[in-house]
């Protein structure tokens, strides 16, 4: 009988909003430029076992009355995208802020990010033509709170 070894969950980096937002902005300059390097935002980083950022999520464009927020995500390593880590990251908007909808804008030619957003559970909502410049379209994807609860509600309980 073989025993399966599991890697420990990556550590999350809190309270370093500017550091994480700058890291994300370097990797997705189209989005960062459109949002003035995310301005006054919240951000959470995911650290490698060497304590380097391998993923960052910037929470911006917060609309409390509408109960919505935009997320911008960048990663340098796919090892961050475990369900337990995703739940921790998404718990900020859906559990702490009690939002109903989170959305992301991804350049239409960023196939890796489009696949990753599908893996996380975001659904296609719209296309904004030329949003990132001539012939660079934004694919808008969204997740509603009931989708989050269905996908991640029983993790860690």
């Amino acid at each position: 009988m073989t025993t399966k070894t599991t890697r420990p969950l990556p550590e999350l980096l809190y309270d370093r909003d500017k550091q994480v937002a700058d890291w994300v902005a370097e990797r997705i300059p189209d989005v960062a430029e459109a949002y003035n390097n995310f301005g006054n935002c919240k951000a959470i980083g995911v650290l490698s076992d060497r304590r380097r950022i391998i993923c960052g999520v910037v929470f911006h464009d917060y609309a409390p009355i509408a109960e919505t927020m935009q997320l911008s995500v960048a990663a340098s390593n796919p090892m961050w995208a475990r369900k337990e880590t995703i739940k921790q990251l998404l718990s900020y908007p859906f559990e702490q802020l009690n939002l109903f909808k989170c959305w992301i804008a991804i350049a239409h030619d960023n196939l890796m990010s489009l696949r990753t957003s599908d893996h996380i559970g975001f659904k296609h909502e719209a296309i904004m033509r030329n949003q990132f410049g001539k012939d660079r379209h934004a694919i808008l994807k969204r997740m509603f709170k009931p989708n989050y609860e269905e996908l991640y509600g029983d993790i860690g309980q």
Side-chain angles (χ1 to χ4, degrees), residues 9-126:
L9 286 176
E11 183 181 344
L12 298 184
L13 178 62
Y14 295 99
D15 301 321
R16 302 287 181 144
D17 300 325
K18 180 162 177 23
Q19 177 185 356
V20 174
D22 287 348
W23 188 91
V24 171
E26 287 177 14
R27 285 152 182 82
I28 50 174
D30 293 337
V31 176
E33 181 181 342
Y35 291 95
N36 193 26
N37 282 349
F38 306 114
N40 186 17
C41 64
K42 291 291 182 190
I44 302 172
V46 180
L47 300 176
S48 71
D49 52 3
R50 294 183 178 160
R51 300 200 42 82
R52 294 197 174 140
I53 297 174
I54 59 171
C55 175
V57 180
V58 180
F59 303 90
H60 58 103
D61 204 20
Y62 178 37
I65 293 173
E67 298 180 347
T68 66
M69 175 180 278
Q70 182 176 1
L71 280 60
S72 292
V73 182
S76 62
N77 181 319
M79 297 307 294
W80 73 273
R82 292 173 51 184
K83 280 197 163 232
E84 299 87 353
T85 303
I86 295 166
K87 179 189 174 139
Q88 288 181 294
L89 294 167
L90 293 177
S91 71
Y92 172 66
F94 288 119
E95 294 178 27
Q96 291 183 41
L97 299 178
N98 198 31
L99 299 182
F100 182 72
K101 176 183 175 179
C102 289
W103 61 280
I104 54 179
I106 303 170
H108 77 282
D109 55 357
N110 188 339
L111 301 180
M112 179 64 82
S113 290
L114 290 167
R115 279 194 299 272
T116 300
S117 67
D118 289 340
H119 169 76
I120 292 169
F122 281 84
K123 303 293 182 197
H124 179 87
E125 180 142 312

